[in-house]
Amino acid sequence: MITQSKILKIISVIVILIAIFWSSTTVENYVQSIIGSLANYMDGGSWMSVIIFVALAVLSVMLVSFSSIWLVPVAMTLWGNLPTLVMLLLSWILGGIFSYLIGKYMGYPIVRKIVSEEKINNYSGIFSQARESFSLIILSRFVLPSEIPGYLLGIVRYPFFKYLLATALSEIPYAFVVVYFIEAILRKNTTTFLVLGTLWLGFAFFAVRIYKKIIVASEEDVKTEVFISTER
């Protein structure tokens, strides 16, 4: 799970990398040349380029240690901000649907080949205990690794349309921030960068805090139920 200390570490690394990018013309030109080369290689008018981008974005939701964030600058160069945002959002939702269906219909034996057993054991109890908590499902999309919620919610048979709604509600702001945050970095727009960065950082801390409270409350409810059942 993403903790507040992890958030600070991630932010520190991002700020350092952005500072290097903004302060070094050599680094900036090198990054822009890579983006330009990839954009030239991928024909913006080709459906195959769209399919490749969507497929990789879908896989980024389903697989461990794979991110589609690095493809976003290339997509923005080819198709612009809004089309990139829409394709990214739909791809992430589609990836979430696939992972849910795999968890529901193929179950634990298949999921453990995609997600480590340690992660499954750590998080499966959370979703089993708070299966009906819609707010927990939304928050889990923010604070847990992207490949975790879909598979495990499929395994515990969480209602599909509630899962789909939670996935969409969580991915919409994330896709928006990713696209326009990256644009602010590439264009050196410090105002947009600071506004989006501050809002997202504040929300991240808030989400982690609320998520922990819900988990603690769920665990206490389970302990109470166990105590009452033993008393009977």
Side-chain angles (χ1 to χ4, degrees):
M1 184 184 76
I2 296 178
T3 62
Q4 293 180 347
S5 61
K6 286 183 180 179
I7 292 174
L8 289 176
K9 290 178 182 178
I10 293 172
I11 294 299
S12 299
V13 172
I14 291 175
V15 169
I16 292 172
L17 292 176
I18 292 173
I20 294 173
F21 176 76
W22 282 359
S23 61
S24 173
T25 304
T26 302
V27 173
E28 180 184 357
N29 291 337
Y30 180 70
V31 172
Q32 295 287 6
S33 67
I34 292 176
I35 295 173
S37 298
L38 290 174
N40 290 331
Y41 181 76
M42 296 175 64
D43 183 4
S46 170
W47 280 104
M48 184 57 65
S49 298
V50 174
I51 292 172
I52 291 174
F53 175 77
V54 169
L56 292 175
V58 167
L59 289 175
S60 72
V61 180
M62 302 176 65
L63 301 178
V64 181
S65 302
F66 179 73
S67 175
S68 58
I69 299 298
W70 310 107
L71 302 172
V72 173
V74 178
M76 290 166 59
T77 301
L78 290 173
W79 303 300
N81 292 356
L82 185 58
T84 298
L85 191 156
V86 172
M87 286 190 292
L88 197 63
L89 174 61
L90 294 178
S91 300
W92 286 346
I93 293 176
L94 190 60
I97 292 173
F98 286 156
S99 61
Y100 174 91
L101 294 177
I102 289 173
K104 182 175 182 178
Y105 293 109
M106 298 184 181
Y108 178 78
I110 298 298
V111 172
R112 70 178 182 179
K113 295 180 179 180
I114 304 173
V115 181
S116 67
E117 289 194 37
E118 181 182 358
K119 287 184 177 180
I120 293 175
N121 294 332
N122 286 343
Y123 299 122
S124 59
I126 294 174
F127 292 117
S128 296
Q129 293 171 13
R131 187 173 177 275
E132 300 303 324
S133 175
F134 186 70
S135 57
L136 174 65
I137 304 306
I138 293 179
L139 288 173
S140 70
R141 303 294 305 181
F142 288 103
V143 304
L144 297 183
S146 61
E147 74 278 2
I148 296 295
Y151 291 118
L152 296 186
L153 288 170
I155 289 176
V156 302
R157 300 294 196 272
Y158 187 80
F160 174 74
F161 288 105
K162 288 179 67 175
Y163 166 77
L164 183 60
L165 178 60
T167 299
L169 290 175
S170 61
E171 298 293 17
I172 288 172
Y174 190 47
F176 178 86
V177 169
V178 164
V179 170
Y180 288 98
F181 190 74
I182 290 177
E183 182 193 38
I185 294 172
L186 295 177
R187 294 180 180 275
K188 296 184 177 180
N189 188 329
T190 54
T191 301
T192 303
F193 170 78
L194 290 174
V195 170
L196 288 178
T198 301
L199 289 174
W200 194 253
L201 181 60
F203 175 78
F205 277 105
F206 173 78
V208 169
R209 184 175 181 181
I210 297 300
Y211 183 83
K212 287 182 176 179
K213 286 185 177 181
I214 294 175
I215 294 301
V216 171
S218 299
E219 290 176 347
E220 289 178 351
D221 288 343
V222 170
K223 290 178 181 178
T224 301
E225 290 176 3
V226 172
F227 174 76
I228 293 174
S229 65
T230 55
E231 284 294 306
R232 290 177 182 172

